[in-house]
Amino acid sequence: MSKVAVIYMGGTFGCVGSPLSPLPHDQFLPKLHAVMTSHTLLDLECFPAPDIIDSSACTAKTWLRLIQLIQKLQSTQNIQKFIVIHGTDTLSYASAVLAHFLAQSCRVILTGSQYPLLNVEGNAVRHQTDALSNLCYALDHINHITAGVHLAFDAQLYHGHSAIKHHTTERSAFKGISSAEKITTPQKHHSVTDQNITRAQTLNVINLMLQPTEQANLCHFLKLMTTQAPDFLILQGFGTGNIATNADIIHQLKQLQQHNCLTILTTQVTFGEIDQRYAISQWVKEADILVSNAIGHADLYAKILKLYLTYDEIQQYRQHWADTQ
């Protein structure tokens, strides 16, 4: 039986006490291992992640360091199956980044919980918790999933780059495309280097979720942005990506391009694709911006990160936009 690496990254899953606070990993991991071995016959080994932090503090650096650990375990210990325990706040982002960078090179299930695994004292499994059921679900499926990255939550298994957190407190906190459904998944893995991690810390992405406002206000904001342009600007439009524009707004978007800022149009709606049948298509062509082909917002972030670490210029981002699947 091949070994499964269980990597712990923190989050509510490993908290104890009242109010909740994280149990140090050197105390939590032996307890976690004992719980798992009482529920499965899998050959398991627990590892602390390079960064064990609240998931709201995670950034690209955090997930790239995690990927580095996974790739090291692959090459040095020939481990090809991984379960990652991660906080729920940015679990969908972690899942999407791992999906794009690991692709089909191994088998990974990410999971987490809305409630801690252990009781207040930290000496037994909590009576009412989704942590144990989510963990056991991941353990039960790790030998049966296809190659790639998946997210397990509330007895559901999703393609990793498709998942999104859609509820703050319910146990069924995540939605996505079922892993049983065949979809286009990232195919080319990326070996993470120290240079990648250093560069990732300079990535500047601004996400602008459009609100009903006057066009002059949007134009003014875009003009201010040119003084210190981000690497990528995400415009979240209404419905299928609709944004009311005028010549001044289009001019400012073109000015941002002159500052090596790539603008990408997406939608603030949780599920569904951008639709170019409406008047939206004409101004998009005129402004010369890209339209997202990602499944969701976390998937779009992961695509952007991979582009940024592979290329340097906006022309290269455009040329290789379709290559990041």
Side-chain angles (χ1 to χ4, degrees):
M1 185 182 299
S2 58
K3 180 175 289 187
V4 177
V6 179
I7 303 175
Y8 172 65
M9 291 194 67
T12 299
F13 196 103
C15 286
V16 296
S18 182
L20 292 175
S21 61
L23 192 66
H25 76 267
D26 57 344
Q27 299 177 36
F28 180 71
L29 289 183
K31 297 176 184 292
L32 173 64
H33 190 269
V35 169
M36 290 191 296
T37 53
S38 68
H39 286 83
T40 183
L41 297 177
L42 293 173
D43 180 12
L44 303 170
E45 186 170 353
C46 294
F47 297 88
D51 303 290
I52 299 178
I53 55 178
D54 187 274
S55 67
S56 62
C58 289
T59 63
K61 172 185 174 182
T62 313
W63 299 314
L64 291 175
R65 281 164 54 86
L66 169 64
I67 293 167
Q68 246 191 354
L69 172 61
I70 289 172
Q71 292 176 335
K72 180 180 179 181
L73 292 173
Q74 284 182 277
S75 62
T76 62
Q77 299 191 34
N78 196 31
I79 299 176
Q80 304 300 329
K81 299 172 185 176
F82 302 87
I83 293 174
V84 177
I85 297 172
H86 192 287
T88 62
D89 282 349
T90 55
L91 178 55
S92 61
Y93 286 89
S95 187
V97 171
L98 264 64
H100 277 270
F101 282 79
L102 293 171
Q104 312 297 300
S105 65
C106 55
R107 288 167 170 77
V108 182
I109 295 179
L110 291 95
T111 193
S113 66
Q114 298 284 57
Y115 300 94
L117 175 67
L118 302 176
N119 60 14
V120 173
E121 295 77 18
N123 56 18
V125 174
R126 186 180 172 119
H127 288 301
Q128 294 185 334
T129 179
D130 60 335
L132 182 59
S133 58
N134 287 346
L135 177 61
C136 288
Y137 189 80
L139 293 169
D140 290 343
H141 285 78
I142 192 63
N143 279 327
H144 307 291
I145 58 171
T146 57
V149 177
H150 308 260
L151 189 151
F153 218 90
D154 194 41
Q156 300 295 322
L157 195 66
Y158 305 111
H159 286 287
H161 64 305
S162 76
I164 187 169
K165 188 172 184 181
H166 79 112
H167 200 283
T168 55
T169 56
E170 285 186 358
R171 293 191 178 196
S172 57
F174 288 84
K175 294 292 183 184
I177 300 175
S178 169
S179 292
E181 185 175 338
K182 290 186 177 181
I183 64 170
T184 301
T185 56
Q187 297 295 309
K188 186 176 180 181
H189 77 277
H190 181 109
S191 296
V192 174
T193 65
D194 290 341
Q195 290 76 17
N196 289 155
I197 295 172
T198 299
R199 177 165 167 79
Q201 294 174 68
T202 65
L203 172 62
N204 185 8
V205 181
I206 290 182
N207 182 79
L208 187 58
M209 182 175 178
L210 273 294
Q211 302 294 314
T213 187
E214 297 296 330
Q215 293 180 6
N217 294 334
L218 174 58
C219 185
H220 179 66
F221 181 78
L222 293 174
K223 185 175 182 179
L224 291 175
M225 199 179 295
T226 59
T227 61
Q228 193 170 355
D231 302 298
F232 298 86
L233 171 63
I234 301 172
L235 294 177
Q236 282 187 272
F238 304 102
T240 58
N242 292 303
I243 295 176
T245 62
N246 57 28
D248 290 337
I249 291 173
I250 292 172
H251 172 73
Q252 292 305 327
L253 290 172
K254 289 183 175 180
Q255 288 297 111
L256 283 169
Q257 293 180 44
Q258 300 303 312
H259 291 79
N260 208 44
C261 171
L262 181 64
T263 300
I264 304 164
L265 176 67
T266 185
T267 174
Q268 55 194 256
V269 181
T270 305
F271 296 105
E273 299 178 352
I274 300 293
D275 194 328
Q276 292 285 280
R277 292 176 299 173
Y278 302 101
I280 173 180
S281 58
Q282 184 56 44
W283 78 263
V284 167
K285 291 177 182 178
E286 189 177 349
D288 198 24
I289 66 175
L290 291 182
V291 175
S292 175
N293 58 357
I295 295 177
H297 203 67
D299 186 33
L300 177 57
Y301 173 85
K303 285 169 64 71
I304 286 172
L305 175 62
K306 199 170 185 180
L307 271 178
Y308 184 73
L309 296 185
T310 309
Y311 307 103
D312 298 313
E313 301 293 332
I314 187 171
Q315 292 81 5
Q316 294 173 305
Y317 299 153
R318 289 178 174 281
Q319 181 182 353
H320 298 281
W321 177 245
D323 300 348
T324 49
Q325 278 290 20

